[in-house]
Structure formats: structure tokens, C-alpha cells
Amino acid sequence: MTDPAPTPMATEDRDAAGTALAAEAARYADLGWMRGTSGNLSVTLGRHPLRLAVTASGLDKGELTPRDVVIVDEYGHATPDQPEPVPRPSAEAGLHARIARVAGAGAVVHIHVLAAVLAAERWPAGVALRDLEMLKGFGRQAHDDLVTVPVVPNSQDMRVLGDAFEDRFDPATPALLVARHGLYVWGTDLVQARHRAECLEWLLRFVLAADLDLGDQPDPLTRRARR
């Protein structure tokens, strides 16, 4: 028995996703987190087969319209079953799709915040965070919960980046830093992903400003055992 053909994506579905993505992109642009045409956002529209709505490439993220969105498949390729005209999807749509598949993300945020680039440069093995109240907004505990945000080398090949992400993936840490590039954060929807992005940006700015030597911090479990 063959699988049924995928249902064509309706114009209203793409427009609804585009409206939400444009509003979120404008927020990040206002914060200076999507300078120029950088960054991209996505929402997951379906799982079987995997379908994502991704912001279109090469556009000012503060001026997107509901039409500036592309439906992509599990490889980040634009699908044929969507209304014309079809904008060009972001070059990073393939990584969005990999995150949606592996992490079960409902929305993915990719922004080029300076704190993420600086933190990845200083701690290329991963950025360790603990004992900070803001971690609760990131979906973790404020105390005695070691959160290590993975760092992977940058690549223009989304298969290479996707493999690096999957190799370092921790279901409890919904974030990834790409060296000399930016960060990816995900959540069940755009609002949760936004909150996590805001909290992570704050956390990264804190560890950079505090000038911490993260490599010398004791493991919280070991510290408890010594009390």
C-alpha cells in the first residue's frame, strides 16, 4: 500500500503562518537582533510529512508581509504544493527542518545576537550556565541545574550543521550556538521560542559581563556532596 499524497497547502495556511512570522520578525528587528536581512524564523505546520513555514531569504526582517514566507519540506526545499509566487527560502531552512524533526520543535528562532557570537568564541566547547534565576525562563531550574548550551562550528552546508546539531543535541537544552554566526532556539510555538531567545540572550550577556571562568566551576552535584 502506498502512502496518500500530501494535502496541498492552502493559501490561508501560508498567510496565517506568514502573519505570525512577520510580527515576530519585526520584534527581533526592533531589538537589533536581525540586522540587515540576517536571521530567520520558522513554524512547523505538519509532521507527516514534515512541513515548515520559513521566512523568505534576502528581505528586511522588520518589513516582512504575510506573503514573505515559504513552505519547505524536511530538507528545507520549497514544496510545489503552495500558491505562487514562491519566494526563495532561507539558506538555513534545512537546519530549521532538522531541528523540528529531531527536537520536535513547533517553532525555531535564528538570530545573530552579538552575545551568542562572543560566548561561542570564548567557550567553544559549550557555554555552561547555572544558579541564575533567568534559567527558569529558559525551561530549566534556577539552582543546581547545570545547563550547557552546545557550540558547533559554522558551515554553509546545512547537512554538516544539522549533523553537528544532532550530535550535540540535548532534549533538555532547547538551544544551539553556531560559532561566529548566531544562535538557534526553539519551543512549542513562536511565543515560547521568543521567550527562550530573550532569556538566553540575557544569560549570555551576563556570563560575558561577569567575566566568568566557566571551566573552573564545580559540578553542582559534587558541590552538594561536599556540604
Side-chain angles (χ1 to χ4, degrees):
M1 179 181 297
T2 59
D3 293 332
T7 302
M9 186 64 60
T11 303
E12 56 268 25
D13 293 335
R14 190 179 74 165
D15 286 351
T19 298
L21 289 168
E24 288 299 299
R27 284 175 177 268
Y28 294 118
D30 285 344
L31 289 169
W33 292 356
M34 284 184 156
R35 295 176 183 273
T37 63
S38 69
N40 34 74
L41 310 174
S42 69
V43 291
T44 302
L45 300 177
R47 301 274 177 194
H48 306 289
L50 185 64
R51 292 290 185 267
L52 281 73
V54 184
T55 50
S57 179
L59 301 176
D60 187 321
K61 299 307 187 297
E63 300 178 354
L64 296 184
T65 73
R67 287 288 185 167
D68 297 324
V69 66
V70 192
I71 309 303
V72 301
D73 61 18
E74 62 182 308
Y75 303 107
H77 301 150
T79 63
D81 54 336
Q82 57 187 304
E84 298 288 345
V86 180
R88 181 165 57 94
S90 164
E92 292 149 342
L95 183 53
H96 282 251
R98 181 81 77 97
I99 292 172
R101 178 173 63 80
V102 173
V108 179
V109 169
H110 171 47
I111 48 180
H112 291 203
V113 292
L114 182 59
V117 179
L118 293 174
E121 190 80 1
R122 180 163 183 193
W123 299 291
V127 182
L129 304 166
R130 61 158 63 92
D131 297 338
L132 290 161
E133 193 72 19
M134 193 67 83
L135 283 169
K136 292 195 294 187
F138 192 54
R140 299 294 292 268
Q141 300 301 311
H143 301 288
D144 294 336
D145 184 10
L146 176 62
V147 178
T148 301
V149 181
V151 177
V152 300
N154 194 20
S155 174
Q156 301 307 303
D157 187 330
M158 291 306 107
R159 291 173 298 178
V160 172
L161 271 182
D163 289 345
F165 150 71
E166 198 161 349
D167 182 62
R168 300 292 307 278
F169 173 61
D170 175 1
T173 305
L176 175 73
L177 302 187
V178 181
R180 301 200 169 193
H181 189 164
L183 67 80
Y184 286 81
V185 175
W186 50 92
T188 57
D189 55 28
L190 282 169
V191 173
Q192 185 181 64
R194 182 213 310 157
H195 291 168
R196 289 176 172 177
E198 292 171 345
C199 291
L200 180 58
E201 193 271 346
W202 186 96
L203 289 161
L204 295 175
R205 284 196 292 116
F206 169 79
V207 293
L208 288 164
D211 197 28
L212 299 178
D213 184 351
L214 301 184
D216 291 338
Q217 294 191 54
D219 183 274
L221 296 179
T222 303
R223 185 172 55 196
R224 284 205 303 269
R226 291 176 179 171
R227 289 177 182 170

